Amino acid sequence: MDVKIEQSWKQELADEWNKDYFVALTDFVRREYASKQVFPPGSQIFAAFDAAPFSAVKVVILGQDPYHDVGQANGLCFSVNDGIPFPPSLQNIFREVHNDTGAPIPTSGDLSRWARQGVLLLNATLTVEAHRAGSHQNRGWERFTDEVVAHLAHNRDHLVFILWGSYAIRKGALIDRNRHLVLTSAHPSPLSAYRGFFGNHHFSTANDYLIKHGKTPIQW
């Protein structure tokens, strides 16, 4: 199967493309896009990979599934296009970045500026039907993104995995803590941010780890 994804990821994940689960997932996604309003736009399903090639990844931030309202999802978890109001979780992320690092609250919610520095902004599920949160879960995306995390954990060293909320934290089972830094906390959602997301200092901690291992820190 010819998957339209950045070349280094295409090679790294080559064993996945013709597995039964991925063929079934592809058929499902094609039917959904042909018959319903689905996000992100089809050309942006793999935008997180296109923006952060396999060898360039330094940090992985894991989301759940794309935003499901019109104009929001752009293929990068927690990110929205320019001109779109910041969803509550993104507002809280920027607040924590500011409190942790002193960086100003940005005017753009487009996190491609992080991705270009080696931050893989990965949703566990890469597509969603409009206005139906979680509608494409349990169709195969989770197995695919498990493989993404596993390949990074096994074939790279000294990465930072940032896992917010129980859904993301479960993927931590795939990661060797002796080779990588795994940071976990409550989710930035307003429902949980005050239970441990605020004050987690994940952004400065990630940069300290990158510097320790000879990597350029992220300009959050």
Side-chain angles (χ1 to χ4, degrees):
M1 181 182 299
D2 184 23
V3 178
K4 301 294 190 294
I5 193 172
E6 191 274 333
Q7 192 61 34
S8 66
W9 282 107
K10 189 171 188 175
Q11 294 172 354
E12 183 67 26
L13 299 169
D15 290 346
E16 300 306 303
W17 309 132
N18 292 310
K19 288 182 178 177
D20 290 345
Y21 89 89
F22 195 84
V23 173
L25 169 63
T26 300
D27 289 343
F28 165 75
V29 169
R30 283 174 176 160
R31 289 197 306 272
E32 289 287 292
Y33 273 88
S35 62
K36 301 173 183 176
Q37 187 174 29
V38 179
F39 302 126
S43 63
Q44 295 180 327
I45 292 173
F46 295 112
F49 303 88
D50 297 337
F54 183 78
S55 63
V57 173
K58 295 187 287 190
V59 178
V60 180
I61 297 179
L62 192 69
Q64 191 158 341
D65 59 358
Y67 296 124
H68 53 81
D69 285 335
V70 175
Q72 290 182 309
N74 60 15
L76 309 177
C77 73
F78 296 109
S79 175
V80 292
N81 293 313
D82 284 342
I84 300 295
F86 299 169
S89 290
L90 185 58
Q91 292 180 37
N92 288 339
I93 289 169
F94 287 155
R95 176 178 166 184
E96 176 59 23
V97 169
H98 173 69
N99 291 340
D100 184 20
T101 71
I105 302 293
T107 57
S108 169
D110 181 0
L111 300 183
S112 60
R113 61 185 179 276
W114 292 2
R116 288 191 295 270
Q117 298 177 74
V119 182
L120 180 66
L121 294 158
L122 179 66
N123 277 313
T125 301
L126 299 188
T127 55
V128 68
E129 184 182 341
H131 315 302
R132 292 189 62 212
S135 52
H136 286 189
Q137 292 176 5
N138 302 313
R139 292 287 186 164
W141 279 129
E142 294 90 345
R143 179 172 170 182
F144 173 70
T145 53
D146 277 355
E147 288 294 334
V148 172
V149 171
H151 276 255
L152 286 165
H154 294 158
N155 298 329
R156 298 285 312 282
D157 286 305
H158 308 311
L159 302 181
V160 181
F161 292 86
I162 297 178
L163 311 178
W164 296 323
S166 58
Y167 192 90
I169 289 169
R170 284 198 290 271
K171 283 201 191 298
L174 302 165
I175 304 163
D176 181 352
R177 265 74 167 176
N178 294 316
R179 292 177 63 179
H180 306 285
L181 178 62
V182 179
L183 301 174
T184 64
S185 79
H187 193 276
S189 161
L191 299 175
S192 57
Y194 286 96
R195 298 202 300 267
F197 176 77
F198 289 131
N200 65 23
H201 300 291
H202 282 179
F203 302 99
S204 61
T205 303
N207 276 350
D208 289 346
Y209 182 86
L210 293 175
I211 292 168
K212 177 182 175 182
H213 292 282
K215 300 181 181 183
T216 305
I218 306 299
Q219 293 184 359
W220 300 108

